[in-house]
Amino acid sequence: KAGVTQTPRYLIKTRGQQVTLSCSPISGHRSVSWYQQTPGQGLQFLFEYFSETQRNKGNFPGRFSGRQFSNSRSEMNVSTLELGDSALYLCASSFSTATTEAFFGQGTRLTVV
Amino acid sequence: AQSVTQPDIHITVSEGASLELRCNYSYGATPYLFWYVQSPGQGLQLLLKYFSGDTLVQGIKGFEAEFKRSQSSFNLRKPSVHWSDAAEYFCAVAGGGNKLTFGTGTQLKVEL
């Protein structure tokens, strides 16, 4: 059974640009959550999608957005990149929207220069 | 609001020694608790979880954790540490749904 796949693994972007990250959950999982990990703030919840609907949102500015497709794949977008957006972005896949185990991908390392 | 405290930022143990990583949580109702491990540059791997029932839970790689409601704790233990256990360990709580609140992590170093 394939795990959670995140693409790309590494990205370098310039301030002011926008970026899109992709996450393919485990087959049969319909919930996808996104987290930002930085040395200063640790692991912080961005949002959760289930059945193409955002179910929960963390405390991040509107520059951070996401969506989920009918096949459960999810994308997150960050517009007008700032240096502070440099982080490891992790995607987690869960079977349902009720609390279950979350399985994480290897992450996308975003560097903003 | 839910929160998790991992009081130890770094811990060093000798290979073969026992290990206990501390985790305290704050949540009004019965929490869902997790321990994850992260190797450098990698994602998070689930070690074990507590949802209800037996307060001593077994996980992968020989890890176990004990839920103590009276102390709001969910400490992770391993009787004999291996050099490959060196990594960062995160405790997390979910209050409903899949939103996880993580602690700041404990970096484990294993001396040979």
Side-chain angles (χ1 to χ4, degrees):
Chain A
K1 195 171 182 180
V4 180
T5 303
Q6 290 189 246
T7 56
R9 288 293 311 278
Y10 302 92
L11 267 178
I12 300 176
K13 290 287 188 179
T14 304
R15 271 182 301 174
Q17 287 186 315
Q18 74 165 14
V19 67
T20 299
L21 313 181
S22 179
C23 173
S24 293
I26 292 170
S27 178
H29 284 195
R30 296 170 61 196
S31 169
V32 174
S33 300
W34 289 89
Y35 292 82
Q36 181 195 66
Q37 185 177 25
T38 60
Q41 299 298 315
L43 281 153
Q44 294 185 287
F45 173 81
L46 281 156
F47 28 65
E48 178 192 7
Y49 284 86
F50 180 82
S51 293
E52 303 178 63
T53 302
Q54 187 179 91
R55 296 301 177 113
N56 211 338
K57 188 178 190 306
N59 188 26
F60 278 83
R63 299 185 298 106
F64 291 81
S65 63
R67 60 177 175 169
Q68 187 180 34
F69 302 94
S70 58
N71 62 358
S72 296
R73 189 178 70 86
S74 176
E75 290 181 345
M76 69 162 281
N77 183 275
V78 188
S79 62
T80 318
L81 284 166
E82 301 177 359
L83 295 178
D85 297 332
S86 295
L88 181 66
Y89 290 89
L90 293 164
C91 165
S93 161
S94 300
F95 178 71
S96 73
T97 194
T99 305
T100 59
E101 297 105 318
F103 297 91
F104 284 79
Q106 293 199 309
T108 294
R109 171 71 65 184
L110 172 65
T111 302
V112 182
V113 298
Chain B
Q2 58 207 48
S3 66
V4 174
T5 301
Q6 293 180 248
D8 302 307
I9 298 174
H10 299 279
I11 282 186
T12 300
V13 299
S14 299
E15 189 176 35
S18 63
L19 172 70
E20 182 168 28
L21 302 182
R22 296 183 291 164
C23 171
N24 291 97
Y25 68 90
S26 174
Y27 185 67
T30 300
Y32 299 93
L33 295 161
F34 306 82
W35 274 99
Y36 284 88
V37 62
Q38 185 179 38
S39 297
Q42 300 299 310
L44 301 171
Q45 182 181 23
L46 179 65
L47 287 174
L48 47 77
K49 65 183 186 294
Y50 172 79
F51 283 5
S52 65
D54 193 349
T55 56
L56 184 64
V57 294
Q58 303 297 319
I60 62 171
K61 303 186 179 187
F63 286 94
E64 66 178 27
E66 186 171 13
F67 171 63
K68 293 185 178 180
R69 184 188 300 276
S70 62
Q71 298 177 22
S72 297
S73 69
F74 188 56
N75 294 348
L76 182 71
R77 301 194 293 247
K78 186 170 185 178
S80 178
V81 169
H82 188 262
W83 64 266
S84 61
D85 293 323
E88 191 157 21
Y89 292 79
F90 292 92
C91 181
V93 63
N98 289 312
K99 176 184 176 181
L100 293 172
T101 298
F102 287 89
T104 50
T106 297
Q107 187 70 49
L108 173 65
K109 180 180 176 182
V110 180
E111 290 183 334
L112 301 176

Coordinates of all heavy atoms in Angstrom, one line a residue, chain B residues 14-63:
Chain B
S14 N 22.7 6.4 26.8 CA 23.6 5.4 26.3 C 22.8 4.3 25.7 O 21.7 3.9 26.1 CB 24.5 4.8 27.4 OG 25.2 5.9 28.0
E15 N 23.4 3.7 24.6 CA 22.7 2.6 24.0 C 22.6 1.5 25.0 O 23.5 1.1 25.8 CB 23.6 2.1 22.8 CG 22.8 1.1 21.9 CD 23.6 0.6 20.7 OE1 24.9 0.6 20.8 OE2 23.0 0.4 19.7
G16 N 21.4 0.9 25.0 CA 21.0 -0.2 25.9 C 20.4 0.3 27.2 O 19.8 -0.5 27.9
A17 N 20.4 1.6 27.5 CA 19.8 2.2 28.6 C 18.3 2.4 28.4 O 17.9 2.3 27.2 CB 20.4 3.5 29.0
S18 N 17.6 2.5 29.4 CA 16.1 2.8 29.3 C 15.9 4.2 29.0 O 16.7 5.1 29.2 CB 15.4 2.4 30.6 OG 15.8 3.2 31.6
L19 N 14.7 4.5 28.5 CA 14.3 5.8 28.0 C 12.9 6.2 28.5 O 12.0 5.4 28.4 CB 14.4 5.9 26.5 CG 13.9 7.2 25.8 CD1 14.8 8.3 26.1 CD2 13.7 7.0 24.3
E20 N 12.8 7.4 28.9 CA 11.4 8.0 29.2 C 11.4 9.4 28.7 O 12.2 10.2 29.1 CB 11.0 7.9 30.6 CG 9.6 8.4 30.9 CD 9.1 8.1 32.3 OE1 9.9 8.0 33.2 OE2 7.8 8.0 32.4
L21 N 10.5 9.7 27.8 CA 10.3 11.0 27.3 C 8.9 11.5 27.8 O 7.9 10.8 27.7 CB 10.2 11.0 25.7 CG 11.5 10.5 25.0 CD1 11.3 10.6 23.5 CD2 12.7 11.2 25.5
R22 N 9.0 12.7 28.4 CA 7.8 13.3 29.1 C 6.9 14.1 28.1 O 7.4 14.8 27.2 CB 8.2 14.1 30.2 CG 9.0 13.3 31.3 CD 9.3 14.2 32.5 NE 10.3 15.2 32.1 CZ 10.6 16.3 32.9 NH1 9.9 16.5 34.0 NH2 11.5 17.1 32.5
C23 N 5.6 14.0 28.4 CA 4.6 14.7 27.7 C 3.5 15.0 28.6 O 2.9 14.1 29.2 CB 4.1 13.9 26.5 SG 2.7 14.6 25.6
N24 N 3.1 16.3 28.7 CA 1.9 16.7 29.4 C 1.0 17.5 28.5 O 1.4 18.2 27.6 CB 2.3 17.7 30.6 CG 3.1 16.9 31.6 OD1 4.3 16.9 31.7 ND2 2.4 16.2 32.5
Y25 N -0.3 17.2 28.6 CA -1.3 17.8 27.7 C -2.3 18.6 28.5 O -2.5 18.4 29.7 CB -2.0 16.7 26.9 CG -2.9 15.8 27.8 CD1 -4.2 16.2 28.0 CD2 -2.4 14.7 28.4 CE1 -5.0 15.4 28.8 CE2 -3.2 13.9 29.2 CZ -4.5 14.3 29.4 OH -5.3 13.5 30.2
S26 N -2.9 19.5 27.8 CA -4.0 20.2 28.4 C -5.2 20.1 27.4 O -5.1 20.5 26.2 CB -3.7 21.7 28.5 OG -4.8 22.5 29.0
Y27 N -6.3 19.5 27.9 CA -7.5 19.4 27.1 C -8.7 19.1 28.0 O -8.5 18.4 29.0 CB -7.3 18.2 26.1 CG -8.5 18.1 25.1 CD1 -8.8 19.1 24.2 CD2 -9.4 17.0 25.2 CE1 -9.9 19.0 23.4 CE2 -10.5 16.9 24.4 CZ -10.7 17.9 23.5 OH -11.8 17.8 22.6
G28 N -9.8 19.7 27.7 CA -10.9 19.6 28.7 C -11.6 18.3 28.8 O -12.1 17.9 29.8
A29 N -11.6 17.6 27.7 CA -12.3 16.3 27.7 C -11.3 15.2 27.5 O -10.1 15.4 27.7 CB -13.3 16.3 26.5
T30 N -11.8 14.0 27.2 CA -10.9 12.9 27.0 C -10.1 13.1 25.7 O -10.7 13.3 24.7 CB -11.7 11.5 26.9 OG1 -12.4 11.3 28.1 CG2 -10.7 10.4 26.7
P31 N -8.8 13.1 25.8 CA -8.0 13.5 24.6 C -7.7 12.2 23.8 O -7.7 11.1 24.3 CB -6.7 14.0 25.3 CG -6.5 13.2 26.5 CD -7.9 13.0 27.0
Y32 N -7.3 12.5 22.6 CA -6.7 11.5 21.7 C -5.2 11.8 21.7 O -4.9 13.0 21.3 CB -7.3 11.5 20.3 CG -8.8 11.2 20.3 CD1 -9.7 12.2 20.3 CD2 -9.2 9.9 20.2 CE1 -11.1 12.0 20.3 CE2 -10.6 9.6 20.1 CZ -11.5 10.7 20.2 OH -12.8 10.4 20.2
L33 N -4.4 10.9 22.0 CA -2.9 11.2 22.2 C -2.1 10.4 21.3 O -2.4 9.2 21.0 CB -2.5 11.0 23.7 CG -3.2 11.9 24.7 CD1 -3.1 11.4 26.1 CD2 -2.6 13.3 24.6
F34 N -1.0 11.0 20.8 CA -0.1 10.3 19.8 C 1.3 10.6 20.2 O 1.7 11.7 20.7 CB -0.4 10.9 18.4 CG -1.8 10.8 18.0 CD1 -2.7 11.8 18.4 CD2 -2.3 9.7 17.2 CE1 -4.1 11.7 17.9 CE2 -3.6 9.7 16.8 CZ -4.5 10.7 17.1
W35 N 2.2 9.7 19.8 CA 3.6 10.0 19.7 C 4.1 9.7 18.3 O 3.8 8.6 17.7 CB 4.4 9.1 20.7 CG 4.5 9.6 22.1 CD1 3.7 9.2 23.2 CD2 5.4 10.5 22.6 NE1 4.1 9.9 24.3 CE2 5.2 10.7 23.9 CE3 6.5 11.3 22.0 CZ2 5.9 11.6 24.7 CZ3 7.2 12.1 22.7 CH2 6.9 12.3 24.1
Y36 N 4.9 10.7 17.8 CA 5.5 10.5 16.5 C 7.0 10.7 16.6 O 7.5 11.3 17.5 CB 5.0 11.6 15.5 CG 3.6 11.5 15.0 CD1 2.5 11.9 15.7 CD2 3.3 10.8 13.8 CE1 1.2 11.8 15.2 CE2 2.0 10.6 13.3 CZ 1.0 11.1 14.0 OH -0.3 11.0 13.5
V37 N 7.7 10.1 15.6 CA 9.1 10.2 15.5 C 9.5 10.8 14.2 O 8.9 10.5 13.2 CB 9.8 8.9 15.8 CG1 9.5 7.8 14.8 CG2 11.4 9.1 15.9
Q38 N 10.5 11.6 14.2 CA 11.0 12.3 12.9 C 12.5 12.2 12.8 O 13.2 12.7 13.7 CB 10.5 13.7 12.9 CG 10.8 14.4 11.6 CD 10.3 15.9 11.5 OE1 10.4 16.6 12.5 NE2 9.9 16.3 10.4
S39 N 12.9 11.6 11.7 CA 14.4 11.6 11.4 C 14.7 12.8 10.6 O 13.8 13.4 10.0 CB 14.7 10.3 10.7 OG 14.5 9.2 11.5
P40 N 15.9 13.3 10.6 CA 16.3 14.5 9.9 C 15.8 14.6 8.5 O 16.0 13.6 7.7 CB 17.8 14.5 10.0 CG 18.1 13.8 11.2 CD 17.1 12.7 11.3
G41 N 15.1 15.6 8.1 CA 14.6 15.8 6.8 C 13.5 14.9 6.3 O 13.1 14.9 5.2
Q42 N 12.9 14.2 7.3 CA 11.9 13.3 6.9 C 10.5 13.7 7.5 O 10.4 14.7 8.3 CB 12.2 11.9 7.5 CG 13.5 11.3 6.9 CD 13.5 11.2 5.4 OE1 12.5 10.6 4.8 NE2 14.5 11.7 4.7
G43 N 9.5 13.0 7.1 CA 8.2 13.2 7.7 C 8.1 12.6 9.1 O 9.1 12.1 9.6
L44 N 6.8 12.6 9.6 CA 6.6 12.0 10.9 C 6.1 10.6 10.8 O 5.2 10.3 10.0 CB 5.5 12.9 11.6 CG 5.9 14.3 11.8 CD1 4.7 15.1 12.3 CD2 7.0 14.5 12.8
Q45 N 6.6 9.7 11.7 CA 6.1 8.3 11.7 C 5.4 8.1 13.0 O 5.9 8.4 14.1 CB 7.3 7.4 11.6 CG 6.9 5.9 11.6 CD 8.0 4.9 11.5 OE1 9.2 5.3 11.8 NE2 7.8 3.7 11.0
L46 N 4.2 7.5 12.9 CA 3.4 7.3 14.1 C 4.0 6.1 14.9 O 4.2 5.0 14.4 CB 2.0 7.0 13.7 CG 1.0 6.6 14.8 CD1 0.8 7.9 15.8 CD2 -0.3 6.2 14.3
L47 N 4.3 6.4 16.2 CA 4.8 5.3 17.1 C 3.7 4.6 17.8 O 3.6 3.3 17.9 CB 5.7 5.9 18.1 CG 7.1 6.3 17.6 CD1 7.9 7.0 18.8 CD2 7.9 5.2 17.1
L48 N 2.7 5.3 18.3 CA 1.6 4.8 19.0 C 0.5 5.8 19.3 O 0.8 7.0 19.1 CB 2.1 4.1 20.3 CG 3.0 4.9 21.3 CD1 2.2 6.0 22.0 CD2 3.7 4.0 22.2
K49 N -0.6 5.3 19.7 CA -1.7 6.2 19.9 C -2.5 5.8 21.1 O -2.6 4.6 21.4 CB -2.6 6.3 18.7 CG -3.3 5.0 18.4 CD -4.2 5.1 17.1 CE -5.0 3.9 16.9 NZ -4.1 2.7 16.6
Y50 N -3.2 6.7 21.8 CA -4.2 6.4 22.8 C -5.5 7.0 22.5 O -5.6 8.3 22.4 CB -3.7 6.8 24.2 CG -4.7 6.6 25.3 CD1 -5.0 5.4 25.8 CD2 -5.5 7.7 25.7 CE1 -6.0 5.2 26.7 CE2 -6.5 7.5 26.6 CZ -6.8 6.3 27.1 OH -7.8 6.1 28.1
F51 N -6.5 6.2 22.4 CA -7.9 6.8 22.2 C -8.8 6.5 23.4 O -9.5 7.4 23.9 CB -8.5 6.1 21.0 CG -8.0 6.7 19.7 CD1 -7.0 7.6 19.6 CD2 -8.5 6.3 18.4 CE1 -6.5 8.1 18.4 CE2 -8.1 6.8 17.2 CZ -7.0 7.7 17.2
S52 N -8.7 5.3 24.0 CA -9.5 5.0 25.1 C -9.1 3.6 25.6 O -8.2 2.9 24.9 CB -11.0 5.0 24.8 OG -11.3 3.9 23.9
G53 N -9.6 3.1 26.7 CA -9.3 1.8 27.1 C -8.1 1.6 28.0 O -7.8 2.5 28.8
D54 N -7.3 0.6 27.8 CA -6.1 0.3 28.5 C -5.2 1.5 28.5 O -4.9 2.0 27.4 CB -5.4 -0.9 28.0 CG -4.3 -1.5 28.9 OD1 -4.0 -0.8 29.8 OD2 -3.9 -2.6 28.6
T55 N -4.7 1.9 29.6 CA -3.9 3.2 29.7 C -2.5 2.9 29.3 O -1.7 3.9 29.1 CB -4.0 3.8 31.1 OG1 -3.5 2.8 32.0 CG2 -5.4 4.2 31.4
L56 N -2.1 1.7 29.2 CA -0.7 1.4 28.7 C -0.8 0.9 27.3 O -1.5 -0.1 27.0 CB -0.1 0.3 29.6 CG 1.4 0.0 29.3 CD1 2.3 1.2 29.5 CD2 1.9 -1.2 30.1
V57 N -0.2 1.6 26.4 CA -0.4 1.3 25.0 C 1.0 0.9 24.4 O 2.0 1.5 24.7 CB -1.0 2.4 24.1 CG1 -2.4 2.7 24.6 CG2 -0.2 3.7 24.3
Q58 N 1.0 -0.1 23.5 CA 2.2 -0.6 22.9 C 2.3 0.0 21.5 O 1.2 0.1 20.8 CB 2.2 -2.1 22.8 CG 2.0 -2.8 24.2 CD 3.2 -2.5 25.1 OE1 4.4 -2.4 24.7 NE2 2.9 -2.2 26.4
G59 N 3.5 0.3 21.1 CA 3.6 0.8 19.7 C 4.7 0.0 18.9 O 5.1 -1.1 19.3
I60 N 5.1 0.6 17.9 CA 6.1 0.0 17.1 C 7.5 0.2 17.6 O 7.7 1.1 18.5 CB 6.1 0.5 15.6 CG1 6.4 2.0 15.6 CG2 4.7 0.2 15.0 CD1 6.5 2.6 14.2
K61 N 8.5 -0.5 17.2 CA 9.9 -0.4 17.5 C 10.1 -0.6 19.0 O 11.1 0.0 19.6 CB 10.4 1.0 17.1 CG 10.3 1.3 15.6 CD 11.0 2.6 15.3 CE 10.8 2.9 13.8 NZ 11.6 4.0 13.3
G62 N 9.3 -1.3 19.7 CA 9.5 -1.5 21.1 C 9.1 -0.4 22.1 O 9.4 -0.5 23.3
F63 N 8.4 0.6 21.6 CA 8.0 1.7 22.4 C 6.6 1.4 23.1 O 5.8 0.7 22.5 CB 7.9 3.0 21.6 CG 9.2 3.6 21.2 CD1 9.8 3.3 20.0 CD2 9.9 4.5 22.1 CE1 11.1 3.8 19.7 CE2 11.1 5.0 21.8 CZ 11.7 4.7 20.6

